[in-house]
Amino acid sequence: KFVQADKWFRPELLARRKWELERKEKGLDPSIETEKIIVTENGEDKEINIPWHSRYICVMPGELLQVCTRNEVPAAVHRVVSAAGEDGRLSAPVLLRARSGMKMNVEKYFGRVESTGVLLDECDGMEMQEIHDALQPSSYQN
């Protein structure tokens, strides 16, 4: 057992407290493990149960983001623990390095342009140096 485990920030516990508080405020049972939502599939509405935790996401910046932002976004000090018998986590940063003067071709690298998002839309057609300059923290720009 990790000696200082009670001192670590536990995002899953914070999310659970938030879930329980929301349920109490709505006059609902806070101990329930699922909630019903309505999804539309093939034009037909159907009700499904989802686990309470599926509506939360925890983003903890890592070293790659810290390096890319020149320390403007510091990496979160954290540890990753796999449950007994479970696989460990995977980290898969996408790094592109192009020759000088090359232009970003979003469709070539990511496929369907309409689903890539605002940031990549803005980068489409820009030279790599322009993208690099635009992504620098404001404190580093002219």
Side-chain angles (χ1 to χ4, degrees), residues 1-10 13 79:
K1 181 179 173 186
F2 188 68
V3 178
Q4 296 178 333
D6 59 333
K7 294 182 180 9
W8 288 88
F9 173 69
R10 302 276 308 269
L13 297 180
R79 67 186 187 115

mmCIF file of all heavy atoms in Angstrom, residues 1-10 13 79:
data_model
loop_
_atom_site.group_PDB
_atom_site.id
_atom_site.type_symbol
_atom_site.label_atom_id
_atom_site.label_comp_id
_atom_site.label_asym_id
_atom_site.label_seq_id
_atom_site.Cartn_x
_atom_site.Cartn_y
_atom_site.Cartn_z
ATOM 1 N N LYS A 1 0.844 -1.179 0.000
ATOM 2 C CA LYS A 1 0.000 0.000 0.000
ATOM 3 C C LYS A 1 0.888 1.241 0.000
ATOM 4 O O LYS A 1 1.872 1.316 0.695
ATOM 5 C CB LYS A 1 -0.909 -0.018 1.224
ATOM 6 C CG LYS A 1 -1.829 1.161 1.284
ATOM 7 C CD LYS A 1 -2.725 1.091 2.502
ATOM 8 C CE LYS A 1 -3.486 2.382 2.569
ATOM 9 N NZ LYS A 1 -4.271 2.518 3.741
ATOM 10 N N PHE A 2 0.488 2.232 -0.785
ATOM 11 C CA PHE A 2 1.239 3.471 -0.867
ATOM 12 C C PHE A 2 0.969 4.282 0.390
ATOM 13 O O PHE A 2 -0.167 4.572 0.740
ATOM 14 C CB PHE A 2 0.831 4.246 -2.126
ATOM 15 C CG PHE A 2 1.691 5.434 -2.398
ATOM 16 C CD1 PHE A 2 3.014 5.276 -2.776
ATOM 17 C CD2 PHE A 2 1.185 6.708 -2.269
ATOM 18 C CE1 PHE A 2 3.814 6.370 -3.033
ATOM 19 C CE2 PHE A 2 1.977 7.814 -2.517
ATOM 20 C CZ PHE A 2 3.292 7.639 -2.911
ATOM 21 N N VAL A 3 2.013 4.675 1.096
ATOM 22 C CA VAL A 3 1.898 5.325 2.391
ATOM 23 C C VAL A 3 1.124 6.640 2.322
ATOM 24 O O VAL A 3 0.296 6.928 3.179
ATOM 25 C CB VAL A 3 3.295 5.576 3.003
ATOM 26 C CG1 VAL A 3 3.188 6.300 4.324
ATOM 27 C CG2 VAL A 3 4.033 4.261 3.170
ATOM 28 N N GLN A 4 1.360 7.461 1.309
ATOM 29 C CA GLN A 4 0.720 8.766 1.222
ATOM 30 C C GLN A 4 -0.493 8.782 0.290
ATOM 31 O O GLN A 4 -0.864 9.823 -0.217
ATOM 32 C CB GLN A 4 1.730 9.811 0.753
ATOM 33 C CG GLN A 4 2.870 10.012 1.725
ATOM 34 C CD GLN A 4 3.865 11.021 1.201
ATOM 35 O OE1 GLN A 4 4.005 11.197 0.002
ATOM 36 N NE2 GLN A 4 4.555 11.680 2.101
ATOM 37 N N ALA A 5 -1.112 7.667 0.077
ATOM 38 C CA ALA A 5 -2.234 7.588 -0.861
ATOM 39 C C ALA A 5 -3.356 8.554 -0.514
ATOM 40 O O ALA A 5 -4.041 9.059 -1.391
ATOM 41 C CB ALA A 5 -2.778 6.160 -0.927
ATOM 42 N N ASP A 6 -3.541 8.847 0.766
ATOM 43 C CA ASP A 6 -4.614 9.754 1.169
ATOM 44 C C ASP A 6 -4.305 11.207 0.825
ATOM 45 O O ASP A 6 -5.174 12.069 0.852
ATOM 46 C CB ASP A 6 -4.895 9.622 2.661
ATOM 47 C CG ASP A 6 -3.673 9.941 3.523
ATOM 48 O OD1 ASP A 6 -2.537 9.765 3.030
ATOM 49 O OD2 ASP A 6 -3.871 10.355 4.668
ATOM 50 N N LYS A 7 -3.055 11.510 0.459
ATOM 51 C CA LYS A 7 -2.659 12.875 0.126
ATOM 52 C C LYS A 7 -2.724 13.164 -1.373
ATOM 53 O O LYS A 7 -2.602 14.296 -1.795
ATOM 54 C CB LYS A 7 -1.261 13.153 0.639
ATOM 55 C CG LYS A 7 -1.170 13.147 2.156
ATOM 56 C CD LYS A 7 0.228 13.479 2.577
ATOM 57 C CE LYS A 7 0.519 13.521 4.017
ATOM 58 N NZ LYS A 7 -0.240 13.147 5.053
ATOM 59 N N TRP A 8 -2.894 12.143 -2.194
ATOM 60 C CA TRP A 8 -2.955 12.326 -3.641
ATOM 61 C C TRP A 8 -4.320 12.855 -4.044
ATOM 62 O O TRP A 8 -5.338 12.522 -3.460
ATOM 63 C CB TRP A 8 -2.704 11.000 -4.360
ATOM 64 C CG TRP A 8 -1.283 10.553 -4.290
ATOM 65 C CD1 TRP A 8 -0.715 9.800 -3.300
ATOM 66 C CD2 TRP A 8 -0.248 10.839 -5.217
ATOM 67 N NE1 TRP A 8 0.604 9.596 -3.572
ATOM 68 C CE2 TRP A 8 0.917 10.225 -4.748
ATOM 69 C CE3 TRP A 8 -0.205 11.548 -6.416
ATOM 70 C CZ2 TRP A 8 2.121 10.298 -5.425
ATOM 71 C CZ3 TRP A 8 0.990 11.621 -7.088
ATOM 72 C CH2 TRP A 8 2.146 11.002 -6.591
ATOM 73 N N PHE A 9 -4.350 13.717 -5.070
ATOM 74 C CA PHE A 9 -5.606 14.178 -5.655
ATOM 75 C C PHE A 9 -6.240 13.000 -6.370
ATOM 76 O O PHE A 9 -5.602 12.340 -7.173
ATOM 77 C CB PHE A 9 -5.338 15.324 -6.641
ATOM 78 C CG PHE A 9 -6.568 15.735 -7.394
ATOM 79 C CD1 PHE A 9 -7.607 16.370 -6.743
ATOM 80 C CD2 PHE A 9 -6.684 15.485 -8.746
ATOM 81 C CE1 PHE A 9 -8.747 16.748 -7.430
ATOM 82 C CE2 PHE A 9 -7.809 15.861 -9.438
ATOM 83 C CZ PHE A 9 -8.847 16.493 -8.779
ATOM 84 N N ARG A 10 -7.482 12.719 -6.059
ATOM 85 C CA ARG A 10 -8.180 11.583 -6.653
ATOM 86 C C ARG A 10 -9.345 12.098 -7.492
ATOM 87 O O ARG A 10 -10.427 12.353 -6.973
ATOM 88 C CB ARG A 10 -8.691 10.657 -5.553
ATOM 89 C CG ARG A 10 -7.641 10.094 -4.607
ATOM 90 C CD ARG A 10 -6.962 8.853 -5.147
ATOM 91 N NE ARG A 10 -7.871 7.844 -5.579
ATOM 92 C CZ ARG A 10 -8.341 6.856 -4.803
ATOM 93 N NH1 ARG A 10 -7.988 6.761 -3.551
ATOM 94 N NH2 ARG A 10 -9.168 5.969 -5.292
ATOM 95 N N LEU A 13 -12.746 10.418 -7.190
ATOM 96 C CA LEU A 13 -13.503 10.685 -5.965
ATOM 97 C C LEU A 13 -14.191 12.054 -6.031
ATOM 98 O O LEU A 13 -15.327 12.211 -5.576
ATOM 99 C CB LEU A 13 -12.601 10.605 -4.738
ATOM 100 C CG LEU A 13 -11.965 9.237 -4.467
ATOM 101 C CD1 LEU A 13 -11.083 9.290 -3.224
ATOM 102 C CD2 LEU A 13 -13.018 8.160 -4.337
ATOM 103 N N ARG A 79 0.641 9.883 -10.540
ATOM 104 C CA ARG A 79 1.100 8.514 -10.752
ATOM 105 C C ARG A 79 -0.057 7.740 -11.338
ATOM 106 O O ARG A 79 -1.226 8.066 -11.113
ATOM 107 C CB ARG A 79 1.596 7.868 -9.464
ATOM 108 C CG ARG A 79 0.527 7.624 -8.437
ATOM 109 C CD ARG A 79 1.137 7.116 -7.133
ATOM 110 N NE ARG A 79 0.085 6.739 -6.234
ATOM 111 C CZ ARG A 79 -0.131 5.497 -5.807
ATOM 112 N NH1 ARG A 79 0.661 4.534 -6.191
ATOM 113 N NH2 ARG A 79 -1.110 5.223 -4.994
#
